[in-house]
């Protein structure tokens, strides 16, 4: 069975500071990995995904993530936080023909 | 291209009532799933389908039924609503062609009193 662990249910950063949201996964087969963002009272929007190939993946709004197989990690980063980045972020994994399995989410707060 | 459409957006039920949450997608996706979202719990899988006529249970299936008679539609039925089913429900769809990236509906906020 696949699983996702997101370290830190709440992360707070200053505007302009580095954003780092951690995600570790468990999968017995090559994974497809995703980061989704959810703004208050809205649905989930895909930020970026890793399928195969290049391990550094760039997404929308300046976010990127690096797939590290040896560490079973897929951490999300952004060099400079903006107030508009405040939201909840979810990491998720699938093997392809299995449902998407989510972590419990990390709420990002950005302090002016 | 509407993507994934969920109806209704809001619903209040009395304990014991039944209802169906509708989900439709127009992207010809073979995979569809229902999730519930509760504070601090992330999104938990209720039921999923890998194609028309094929459904399976997820992590929290009790109290819910699904069917997939067409590729486009994947309704979720609450058989006898309970306060524990108060939640936000999301439907999502995906395909191999889309590299399994799921598209989500806007959600249904359900309150059971």
């Amino acid at each position: 069975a696949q699983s996702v662990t997101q370290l830190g249910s709440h992360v707070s950063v200053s505007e302009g500071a580095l954003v780092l949201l951690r995600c570790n996964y468990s999968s017995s087969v090559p994974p497809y990995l995703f980061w989704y963002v959810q703004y208050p009272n809205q649905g989930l929007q895909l930020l970026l995904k890793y399928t195969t190939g290049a391990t550094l993946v760039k997404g929308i709004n300046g976010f990127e993530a690096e797939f590290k197989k040896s560490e079973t990690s897929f951490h999300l980063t952004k060099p400079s936080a903006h107030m508009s980045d405040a939201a909840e972020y979810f990491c998720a994994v699938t093997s392809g023909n299995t449902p998407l399995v989510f972590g419990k989410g990390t709420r990002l707060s950005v302090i002016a | 291209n509407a993507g994934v459409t969920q109806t209704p957006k809001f619903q209040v039920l009395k304990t014991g009532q039944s209802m169906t949450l509708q989900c439709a997608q127009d992207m010809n996706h073979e995979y569809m799933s229902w999730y519930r979202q509760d504070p601090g719990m992330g999104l938990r899988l209720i039921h999923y389908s890998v194609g028309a006529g094929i459904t399976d249970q997820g992590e929290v299936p009790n109290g819910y039924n699904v069917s997939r008679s067409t590729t486009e539609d994947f309704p979720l039925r609450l058989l006898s609503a309970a306060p524990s089913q108060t939640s936000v429900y999301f439907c999502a769809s995906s395909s191999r062609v889309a590299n399994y990236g799921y598209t989500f509906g806007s959600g249904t906020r359900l309150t059971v009193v």
Side-chain angles (χ1 to χ4, degrees):
Chain A
Q2 296 172 309
S3 65
V4 172
T5 302
Q6 291 184 239
L7 297 176
S9 59
H10 183 209
V11 171
S12 185
V13 300
S14 298
E15 192 173 20
L18 172 72
V19 175
L20 171 61
L21 304 182
R22 299 178 188 274
C23 171
N24 288 88
Y25 70 92
S26 172
S27 178
S28 59
V29 297
Y32 294 80
L33 294 158
F34 304 84
W35 276 99
Y36 285 85
V37 61
Q38 185 181 36
Y39 298 101
N41 298 313
Q42 294 190 23
L44 279 81
Q45 180 182 6
L46 181 66
L47 266 181
L48 50 79
K49 63 183 178 183
Y50 168 79
T51 54
T52 59
T55 57
L56 182 62
V57 180
K58 295 186 184 300
I60 61 172
N61 302 337
F63 284 93
E64 63 182 36
E66 186 171 10
F67 170 60
K68 292 187 176 181
K69 183 178 178 181
S70 61
E71 299 177 8
T72 61
S73 69
F74 191 57
H75 302 330
L76 182 70
T77 60
K78 182 175 180 178
S80 177
H82 191 273
M83 296 297 290
S84 61
D85 294 327
E88 189 148 23
Y89 292 80
F90 293 94
C91 182
V93 64
T94 177
S95 65
N97 60 356
T98 56
L100 206 55
V101 174
F102 285 87
K104 294 190 186 304
T106 298
R107 182 164 60 90
L108 176 67
S109 297
V110 182
I111 303 167
Chain B
N1 191 342
V4 178
T5 301
Q6 287 185 242
T7 56
K9 292 189 182 302
F10 301 93
Q11 184 71 48
V12 178
L13 287 179
K14 294 183 179 179
T15 297
Q17 286 185 316
S18 63
M19 79 159 294
T20 299
L21 279 63
Q22 301 291 346
C23 176
Q25 53 94 5
D26 61 358
M27 298 170 285
N28 201 32
H29 284 174
E30 61 268 38
Y31 304 111
M32 296 187 75
S33 299
W34 275 103
Y35 294 88
R36 59 176 290 172
Q37 183 178 23
D38 303 290
M41 303 294 288
L43 282 86
R44 293 182 292 169
L45 182 68
I46 305 171
H47 286 284
Y48 66 98
S49 170
V50 299
I54 305 170
T55 64
D56 207 345
Q57 296 182 351
E59 179 185 357
V60 288
N62 292 340
Y64 308 95
N65 273 355
V66 292
S67 60
R68 185 105 180 262
S69 57
T70 67
T71 299
E72 295 78 20
D73 299 300
F74 191 43
L76 178 72
R77 298 182 186 84
L78 279 70
L79 309 174
S80 177
S84 61
Q85 293 179 304
T86 293
S87 187
V88 180
Y89 292 85
F90 288 100
C91 178
S93 73
S94 176
S95 76
R96 182 183 58 81
V97 172
N99 278 327
Y100 307 107
Y102 274 78
T103 299
F104 281 79
S106 58
T108 296
R109 186 174 295 273
L110 175 67
T111 301
V112 182
V113 298

